[in-house]
Amino acid sequence: MPMPSCETLVIGGGTNGMACAARLAQAGHRVTLLEAEASLGGGARGWDFAPGYRAPGLAHVLHLLDPRVSAGMDLPRHGLQLTAALPSVALGADGRHLTLRGACAESIEGDLPDADRRAWADLRARLLRFAAVLAPMKAMTPPRLAKGAGNDLVALAKLGLKARLLGTGEFRELLRMFLINVWDVLEDELSDPRLKGAMAFDATLGAWMGPRSPNSLLGLLNRLAGEAGGQAAALSLPGGGMEAVAKAMAAACTAAGVVLRNGSPVAALIVEEDRVVGARLASGEELRADHVVSALSPKTTLLQLLGTRHLDAGMATRMAQQKSRGGAARLHLALRGLPDFRGADLRARLLIAPSADAVETAFNPVKYGEVPDQPVMEIVIPSLFTPGLAPEGHHVLSAILQFAPYDPKAGLEAARAQLLENALAVLETHAPGLRALVIHAELLMPQDIATRFGMVGGNWHHGELSVEQMLFLRPLPFLAQYRGPLPGLWLASGGSHPGGGISGAAGWNAAAEILKGGRA
């Protein structure tokens, strides 16, 4: 048998791939990382969308970079500088805005009724208590539901104790809220539509669900889990933009001794005697390794690179049926000047989500392959923070539009044109005169996101973060501990626990499992 080209081969140079590669290299593994694109970073990778104008990345705000990854890779030493926590502004079309500051809107500026302030303080405290129960789960390998599975019983006992220490009443409420929808909670507790709209938007951001969908509150709790866990600058824009995250992680990988090979797409995994022993590149070159780690979507890894002939029929069917629907589109506008959102602070994250009902109404058409008349959206103007994204005096507006169909009934281009028109109309309502500033517009539909970033279905997490696809069920019950279906293969993308985003958590966790000396 040919000797391995390296000890560990990592496929995919997004944040999870780089986090996994760096941790293994620091532990003494000889690691080679393969990235199909010309540059590393995945969703943190920027691009020119018009001459002189640069998009900040698929992710335009840094939310909850895993502190273990930041410290373990020493990212500040490699140039990553985070801003203070970025405020969120819930925009009112009449200029009556709410500014939400601190972790989970610790303080709110604006004409919010006193009753809502008191109600929000109580609800926020309760949500953070429940999110704190979830927080430690992000850093652990999900348990296996089998006798003698070798689970970390101490860690599981600590989690159980933390939940029980809430008290009987709070513990019951925790279980109830895990299964409830966010719309009901907001409707029961609050009256201000702007605040309810902001929370409903955050609960469904990047998800295939509306506020009334079952378990949608779990999306908000999952988002808050990192903040409850104590991450600094939970919502921030790095100095140098989102690409600074990718550059710092790449520098950390190089410092750890990882061999980085950009422009090296993998065509197939090499299997010998029912073991994954390497990868074959699109160029025909073969690389061998003791461990092959895929930081690509589980569907791509198993159904394409590995191939169904190496899977039993049940696993192949369940993997094909795993839900990976993306419902968000990305909009980039090249502007000849700075828009005015009726006096709102532009050095913030701007939310157009007038109410929880508005978020639900935007989701409804997408279920039938149509685009919403009034999409809700998250907006940043990254050129205010990062020089060089636009010519002097000009700006880039970056927005996440909720929601967009992956396979629109009217056809991709017709749906793209209609969603762009609808989005510009909404923006014009909140920032009069904005249309006249637009030089060029780029709108990435979920199909485009899937093609450009390898995210099946256009889903940011490489598989929906729904209650039936979380923890020990992610990506499938028998693949939940980062081990692939064949020895030698490991899974380290956001399709594994705890999900995607610019976090690195899944890759860091996968590296920990490899270093434990488990089945390779």
Side-chain angles (χ1 to χ4, degrees), residues 87-90 97-101 105 107-111 117 344-345 348:
S88 296
V89 178
H97 312 309
L98 293 180
T99 300
L100 285 55
R101 299 188 185 275
S107 65
I108 301 177
E109 300 168 7
D111 59 342
R117 289 187 184 276
D345 179 7

